[in-house]
Amino acid sequence: MPTRVTLLTPAQLAEAFALNVHTIIAQTAGLTHADSLRSSPFALNWVVGHILVNRDRALALLGEAPRLREAERTCYTPEPPQLNPEQAVRFDHQLQLLEHGQPDLANGLLRLSAKDWTREVLVGERKLTLAARLFGLYTHDTYHTGQTEVLRQQIEIPSFL
Amino acid sequence: MSEAHHLADSLERLFSNPASGVFAPFINVTDGLTAAQAASVPAPRFNSVWAVVNHIWFWEESLLRLLRGESATPEALGATTEHGWPPAGSATDEAGWQAARTRALATNAELARHIRSLSDEEITQPLEAWGTVRARAVLSIIAHDSYHTCEIISLRHMQGWWVEGTPLT
């Protein structure tokens, strides 16, 4: 039996994703592209790029277009994370992609029927409902949203870096 | 398997299963620290790992008590405000640090056990103290755990205490 998360509605999940965007925008207010490359050991720029890669997975599941171009995506997928500053997406552009991608994510979610919501998807060898898969992507989104709080604090304390 | 059972599994798997598969869970990211490390902050204004552990525990314990029909005031849970930040312990209190970590894990397990015991009808009942229904409260706790777990990873990384097996995700 596939893992389910059906008590959450698509509309509620859209709201939850939106709250993360709101949090990230608030956490990063006033930070420059150079700031986004300064935090250590991981650049805030990498974390936001990683969040965008993750959101593109959700958009793909919903039949929506990804926000990052392929060349941009490859900057944020290596493990362990290694970001070449010269290849980094401009931070203000990252934040725009995040904000502008949210309506597509929400629309894709709101289009889902009850049958869509509970259809099975494969993640590796695991069978999940679409709802469970999207909820997993949301927890990942939230996980790294928590990281942006600490990295912003780090950037704001010059003596730390 | 009931909906409540699925929710409980997610709550527990993302917190205390070392092989959760989605990201490094709480049990991994709080492992291997001394009390001095857990109580340390990388710079002024940052949280310590211990404070975050207590904060995570506070909200899981609050939900558990409310689901049981008990009261859950900040004061009863060691916090001074409704934001839920019981203070970290002393940097020399090894037993206290281990107890704080163990308490958080135990509460997570107990919360999951309690949720599993609820019927599908019960899990959709209102949780008035939080202005939502029980299922959504559980989902918000899963999100809250996730948010602060990655905060702990960053606090560790900044101080040079790498988390084994975490290329960040």
Side-chain angles (χ1 to χ4, degrees):
Chain A
M1 177 179 288
T3 301
R4 297 177 298 175
V5 175
T6 53
L7 289 166
L8 186 71
T9 67
Q12 289 165 347
L13 189 57
E15 284 175 22
F17 269 114
L19 179 60
N20 283 350
V21 172
H22 177 79
T23 302
I24 293 168
I25 297 299
Q27 300 286 11
T28 57
L31 298 184
T32 65
H33 179 67
D35 289 334
S36 79
L37 299 172
R38 287 169 57 216
S39 54
S40 173
F42 301 119
L44 179 59
N45 188 290
W46 189 89
V47 173
V48 175
H50 187 62
I51 288 171
L52 285 165
V53 169
N54 182 67
R55 281 181 170 245
D56 276 354
R57 293 191 179 113
L59 287 167
L61 283 167
L62 296 168
E64 297 285 343
R67 310 308 293 196
L68 287 170
R69 295 195 303 270
E70 186 58 37
E72 295 172 331
R73 187 174 300 111
T74 56
C75 296
Y76 300 100
T77 48
E79 299 285 355
Q82 293 173 326
L83 180 64
N84 179 343
E86 293 180 2
Q87 295 178 333
V89 177
R90 296 285 307 173
F91 192 54
D92 56 352
H93 184 56
Q94 284 188 320
L95 298 178
Q96 282 177 359
L97 293 178
L98 199 59
E99 278 194 291
H100 297 167
Q102 177 59 33
D104 287 351
L105 192 60
N107 289 335
L109 281 163
L110 295 175
R111 272 202 312 271
L112 295 176
S113 66
K115 189 177 174 185
D116 293 332
W117 192 229
T118 54
R119 78 175 162 86
E120 287 182 18
V121 295
L122 270 178
V123 181
E125 294 181 352
R126 283 183 75 199
K127 275 186 187 174
L128 303 175
T129 62
L130 179 61
R133 174 57 175 156
L134 290 169
F135 184 71
L137 291 171
Y138 162 69
T139 58
H140 179 271
D141 198 81
T142 308
Y143 185 79
H144 288 292
T145 299
Q147 196 173 24
T148 67
E149 177 176 330
V150 187
L151 297 181
R152 186 261 305 163
Q153 289 175 313
Q154 191 191 75
I155 291 164
E156 284 182 341
I157 301 174
S159 61
F160 188 84
L161 293 166
Chain B
M1 190 183 286
S2 71
E3 296 290 352
H5 204 112
H6 281 292
L7 272 180
D9 280 358
S10 293
L11 176 74
E12 203 164 27
R13 180 169 49 83
L14 295 171
F15 198 84
S16 61
N17 182 345
S20 70
V22 181
F23 46 67
F26 176 93
I27 193 168
N28 290 21
V29 307
T30 55
D31 190 29
L33 294 175
T34 65
Q37 289 171 325
S40 167
V41 295
R45 294 167 50 196
F46 282 86
N47 292 318
S48 66
V49 170
W50 196 334
V52 179
V53 166
N54 284 351
H55 179 66
I56 289 172
W57 168 79
F58 175 94
W59 285 107
E60 290 220 351
E61 180 69 21
S62 294
L63 179 58
L64 177 59
R65 292 188 185 196
L66 292 170
L67 290 175
R68 286 171 167 167
E70 302 167 4
S71 69
T73 63
E75 296 76 17
L77 297 174
T80 55
T81 73
E82 62 185 14
H83 299 299
W85 288 91
S90 161
T92 59
D93 185 2
E94 293 296 343
W97 158 238
Q98 291 305 326
R101 178 173 181 266
T102 301
R103 179 178 69 170
L105 287 163
T107 292
N108 176 264
E110 182 57 23
L111 180 57
R113 190 202 64 74
H114 184 84
I115 293 164
R116 271 190 201 97
S117 74
L118 300 175
S119 68
D120 284 354
E121 184 180 356
E122 288 169 329
I123 196 69
T124 55
Q125 292 299 306
L127 187 71
E128 290 178 6
W130 287 13
T132 186
V133 297
R134 291 169 171 179
R136 284 200 72 183
V138 176
L139 290 165
S140 71
I141 281 291
I142 294 172
H144 186 259
D145 290 346
S146 303
Y147 184 99
H148 287 292
T149 296
C150 204
E151 180 185 5
I152 291 173
I153 289 182
S154 291
L155 291 170
R156 288 187 60 144
H157 286 170
M158 283 180 203
Q159 297 175 95
W161 308 318
W162 207 257
V163 185
E164 286 302 318
T166 55
L168 195 63
T169 54

